[in-house]
């Protein structure tokens, strides 16, 4: 039965293409290929407390928020990450998300430690529940949100734009 329908469809397609002067169009539906996990490995360059670069790819460390360089604790957060990654081969498991011009990834040290968890545990970054689902919240020091108040305010949408701060 299927073959007969296919032959009729093919014959009709050929007839229409002959009458119109255009080549026949055959539409084939294929199953989409499964998305394979993208992984980057290499030594990294640290931009700030939650951004690294591996092989020219800017990577936002998933699930956390570290202070900006010009915020209190910003430079300390960056240098904590530098010391953590120095001389190490970092593995970044890329997510399909984008954060500004950066890809988002879960990042790990060679011994398997989660870099985001280590930064939160060290008090240099905060769990960002909107993106982590609260995965790192239990690692935050009791005073972390008070000390990193600007990152906490940014998460809650309470940080005014830079133009209001500088102007």
């Amino acid at each position: 039965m299927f073959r007969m329908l296919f032959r009729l469809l093919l014959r009709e397609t050929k007839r229409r293409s002959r009458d119109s002067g255009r080549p026949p169009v055959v539409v084939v539906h294929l199953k989409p290929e499964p998305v394979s996990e993208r992984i980057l490995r290499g030594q990294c360059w640290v931009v700030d407390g939650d951004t690294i670069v591996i092989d020219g790819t800017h990577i936002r460390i998933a699930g956390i928020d570290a202070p900006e360089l010009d915020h209190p604790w910003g430079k300390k957060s960056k240098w904590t990450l530098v010391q953590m990654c120095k001389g190490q081969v970092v593995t970044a498991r890329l997510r399909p998300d984008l954060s500004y011009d950066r890809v988002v990834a879960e990042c790990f040290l060679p011994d398997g430690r989660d870099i985001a968890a280590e930064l939160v545990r060290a008090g240099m970054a905060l769990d960002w529940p909107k993106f982590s689902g609260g995965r790192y919240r239990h690692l935050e020091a009791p005073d972390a949100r008070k000390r990193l108040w600007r990152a906490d305010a940014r998460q809650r949408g309470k940080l005014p734009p830079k133009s209001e701060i500088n102007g």
Side-chain angles (χ1 to χ4, degrees):
M1 181 70 153
F2 178 74
R3 286 183 182 174
M4 187 174 9
L5 285 174
F6 183 75
R7 286 182 185 151
L8 285 171
L9 177 64
L10 189 59
R11 187 178 304 144
E12 182 63 20
T13 304
K14 286 180 181 179
R15 185 190 63 75
R16 285 185 182 178
S17 67
R18 210 177 7 208
D19 294 345
S20 67
R22 292 184 302 215
V25 176
V26 177
V27 178
V28 178
H29 294 280
L30 299 175
K31 285 185 179 179
E33 295 212 16
V35 177
S36 63
E37 186 175 62
R38 287 190 46 213
I39 294 179
L40 277 178
R41 281 191 186 87
Q43 291 193 342
C44 69
W45 177 67
V46 176
V47 176
D48 60 25
D50 55 19
T51 308
I52 61 175
V53 179
I54 298 176
D55 292 332
T57 302
H58 281 68
I59 300 168
R60 171 79 155 79
I61 300 173
I64 62 168
D65 190 22
E68 301 301 321
L69 292 175
D70 61 340
H71 293 183
W73 296 90
K75 290 183 178 134
K76 178 86 170 143
S77 179
K78 173 184 175 169
W79 288 106
T80 300
L81 184 54
V82 167
Q83 290 303 313
M84 193 182 305
C85 297
K86 189 175 186 177
Q88 304 280 347
V89 173
V90 173
T91 299
R93 203 173 330 153
L94 305 181
R95 293 181 170 181
D97 314 332
L98 280 180
S99 175
Y100 299 101
D101 58 346
R102 305 167 292 186
V103 296
V104 178
E106 296 171 329
C107 300
F108 301 93
L109 295 170
D111 61 6
R113 288 182 294 156
D114 182 339
I115 291 175
E118 294 301 313
L119 286 167
V120 172
R121 187 177 288 119
M124 294 294 115
L126 298 174
D127 173 59
W128 198 330
K130 178 179 176 181
F131 301 107
S132 73
R135 180 177 179 179
Y136 305 110
R137 184 64 185 237
H138 70 284
L139 300 172
E140 285 183 11
D143 67 337
R145 290 200 172 261
K146 187 174 181 180
R147 189 180 37 196
L148 304 178
W149 64 272
R150 288 191 78 164
D152 182 51
R154 180 176 47 233
Q155 286 183 17
R156 292 182 290 119
K158 304 287 185 187
L159 189 65
K162 282 188 177 186
S163 59
E164 290 181 29
I165 296 171
N166 298 331

